[in-house]
């Protein structure tokens, strides 16, 4: 339960916030390696390709059981 990348939506989206977040994750950014490591971990947790299809199938199965 941690943030991999900051979502800039609605009032959080500004030139200043965008610049700050991009500077952190672009090459040589202070958060880049952490972000890449987090994405690799997410890929492992989700099971690689087809994760959204597997999640959708599970949701349908659970909905049918309800």
């Amino acid at each position: 339960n941690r943030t991999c990348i900051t979502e800039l939506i609605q009032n959080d989206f500004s030139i200043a916030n965008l610049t700050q977040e991009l500077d952190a994750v672009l090459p040589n950014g202070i958060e880049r390696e952490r972000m890449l490591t987090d994405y690799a971990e997410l890929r492992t947790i989700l099971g690689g390709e087809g994760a959204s299809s597997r999640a959708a199938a599970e949701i349908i199965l659970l909905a049918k059981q309800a």
Side-chain angles (χ1 to χ4, degrees), residues 31-49:
E31 293 292 327
R32 183 175 177 79
E33 287 304 315
R34 183 203 46 81
M35 178 195 67
L36 294 174
T37 300
D38 287 352
Y39 275 140
E41 185 179 340
L42 279 171
R43 188 176 297 115
T44 300
I45 291 168
L46 294 174
E49 285 189 41

Side-chain angles (χ1 to χ4, degrees), residues 14-66:
S14 68
I15 291 174
N17 286 346
L18 180 60
T19 300
Q20 178 181 344
E21 294 302 322
L22 283 175
D23 284 345
V25 297
L26 287 174
N28 299 317
I30 59 173
E31 293 292 327
R32 183 175 177 79
E33 287 304 315
R34 183 203 46 81
M35 178 195 67
L36 294 174
T37 300
D38 287 352
Y39 275 140
E41 185 179 340
L42 279 171
R43 188 176 297 115
T44 300
I45 291 168
L46 294 174
E49 285 189 41
S52 58
S53 294
R54 289 190 301 278
E58 186 68 23
I59 290 168
I60 290 169
L61 180 67
L62 291 171
K64 287 181 178 180
Q65 294 174 354

